[in-house]
Amino acid sequence: MTRTIAERLDDPEAAQAEGRRKMDWAEAHMPILAELRESFAAEQPLDGERIAMAMHVEAKTAVLVELLAIGGAEVAITGCNPLSTQDDVSAALHAVDGVTSYAAHGVDTEEYYDAIEAVVDVDPTITVDDGADMVTHIHDEHPELIPQLKGGCEETTTGVHRLRSMADDGALDYPMFAVNDTPMKTLFDNVHGTGESAMANIAMTTNLAVAGKTVVVAGYGYCGRGVAKKASGMNADVVVTEVDPRRALEAHMEGHEVLPMNEAAAEGDIFVTTTGNRDVITREDFEQMADGVVLANAGHFDVEINLAELDDLAETRREVRDGVEEYALPDGRRVNVLAEGRLVNLAGPLSMGHPVEVMDQSFGVQAVCVRELAANPDAYDAGVHEVPDRLDREVAEVKLDAEDIDIDTLSDEQREYMDSWDHGT
Ligand code: NAI
């Protein structure tokens, strides 16, 4: 029988109080969710819905979960990474009316999947995932639930890739919103959120300077360009590695050096992987690296740095600081790996994920997508769907309002001009 977080902790009430303090701080800086809270409380758009969630359980996520419960839903949640859960926040969530939390820090693989199974007991009508573990579990183990599922929402790039692969194989049997792909999410969360929080966590975990170092960024997608920008802003030299010629050129035009990983390996002091791919840094690269390099991953899964090969090469391995594992090679060089090669901004001992304001936007999109699935369950077929533009705009408008930023409005003449094709002069 999988235990809830309250059953796991010695003093759940103390944990709950600390978790609530963290949630209150986050909530005070999330104007989009605050606005939605008012309308969800008044209109109860999720009345009768049961939501199964697998997400990083920390304070910002908790504010989203509480919002869904305020909107009338019954919610069950677990983590989407064994190291990103904060037990006190999980305890505070579990104490919210209508919420059951199975998320616990540091669970092993079996417990991780047992908790997903326990969440499915909520008998969901909607799912919310970060990485697609819940949706794949339901397809594999509980296909009987699929007819009742109105749809789901996916938070991250890797999850959307997995869902598109399922859809291509004809194996995705209910509708999913690619929340990751909306402008209000990708252009802020992936770029600025990952950039800021990954670089901040590398600096805090190591207590080493970034200025004057060479930072190698693997992958120049949304996350990679954010990491590169923030590393440059911290006065590092940035080297980018890519496999896509256009993204490599973009990095080049932004003024970064572009190299194959095996050459970059010899130049870097700090390495950050952001590809969503596996085996991006491997044995041949470790062999080129200087003594004392720092390796961190900001992609979703812990497969970007091949730690099995590094372990093979190493003579000894020890934790030299909280969250820093030193692999000592036979020739005396030391390679330092942060957060076990898992998401450095979420899974390290000091990690708190993205800045609050950024997650307000991402979770604003999540909340309006859940509301949309509850309101219009028949509008979407099985498969991956873009989030309707009107929902993304709604969230952007609330944010602009909260920031007290005014913008211009199209005049009728301008709208007509933009929509017409028959004028060339
Ligand atoms: P993206 O698809 O925009 O970028 C990935 C880039 O990596 C692409 O340009 C691709 O060509 C490149 N790439 C693929 N294999 C490579 C290889 N072997 N060597 C060098 N480059 C390679 O994806 P995005 O949005 O930047 O996401 C990347 C990863 O970060 C995903 O796993 C995503 O789920 C995760 N993510 C992590 C966050 C965090 O909090 N740390 C937040 C958002 C996304």
Side-chain angles (χ1 to χ4, degrees), residues 157-306:
T157 312
T158 287
V160 172
H161 281 169
R162 289 179 83 186
L163 294 174
R164 292 218 160 97
S165 303
M166 282 175 83
D168 289 347
D169 290 348
L172 179 60
D173 294 330
Y174 68 93
M176 292 293 303
F177 276 136
V179 169
N180 177 73
D181 297 355
T182 59
M184 279 299 282
K185 200 273 180 183
T186 328
L187 299 179
F188 303 90
D189 175 316
N190 300 36
V191 180
H192 296 282
T194 309
E196 261 189 49
S197 62
M199 289 315 298
N201 272 286
I202 291 167
M204 286 190 306
T205 309
T206 59
N207 196 213
L208 298 175
V210 174
K213 299 260 167 66
T214 298
V215 175
V216 176
V217 181
Y220 202 70
Y222 291 102
C223 295
R225 73 181 65 126
V227 171
K229 194 174 181 61
K230 307 296 172 183
S232 290
M234 293 166 89
N235 292 353
D237 287 326
V238 173
V239 175
V240 168
T241 75
E242 250 300 342
V243 292
D244 181 312
R246 292 144 307 176
R247 290 201 157 162
L249 279 172
E250 206 183 326
H252 170 70
M253 294 291 269
E254 286 292 332
H256 307 306
E257 190 177 6
V258 178
L259 289 173
M261 177 54 82
N262 199 242
E263 290 175 36
E267 294 203 7
D269 301 301
I270 298 171
F271 294 75
V272 190
T273 51
T274 68
T275 69
N277 206 345
R278 58 178 299 167
D279 302 327
V280 178
I281 306 184
T282 59
R283 175 188 291 269
E284 294 71 39
D285 309 314
F286 304 132
E287 281 166 350
Q288 303 301 320
M289 288 177 179
D291 179 32
V293 291
V294 168
L295 311 188
N297 168 48
H300 189 76
F301 287 117
D302 58 346
V303 294
E304 305 215 8
I305 304 167
N306 191 324

Side-chain angles (χ1 to χ4, degrees), residues 44-50 71-74 125 150:
Q44 294 292 288
L46 308 182
D47 186 30
E49 303 300 340
R50 298 178 301 280
E74 183 184 345
T125 55
K150 294 178 177 174

Side-chain angles (χ1 to χ4, degrees), residues 13-86:
E13 276 166 26
Q16 188 186 318
E18 180 52 23
R20 174 49 67 178
R21 210 160 71 100
K22 292 181 180 175
M23 284 172 69
D24 287 346
W25 171 261
E27 192 179 316
H29 298 86
M30 299 180 94
I32 300 170
L33 295 198
E35 171 103 1
L36 288 171
R37 203 156 37 241
E38 278 182 29
S39 63
F40 275 36
E43 293 157 21
Q44 294 292 288
L46 308 182
D47 186 30
E49 303 300 340
R50 298 178 301 280
I51 304 178
M53 300 179 72
M55 299 198 93
H56 299 290
V57 176
E58 47 75 61
K60 285 97 67 184
T61 312
V63 179
L64 168 68
V65 174
E66 189 170 47
L67 168 68
L68 301 178
I70 288 170
E74 183 184 345
V75 185
I77 184 163
T78 184
C80 66
N81 177 308
L83 293 185
S84 63
T85 294
Q86 296 183 14

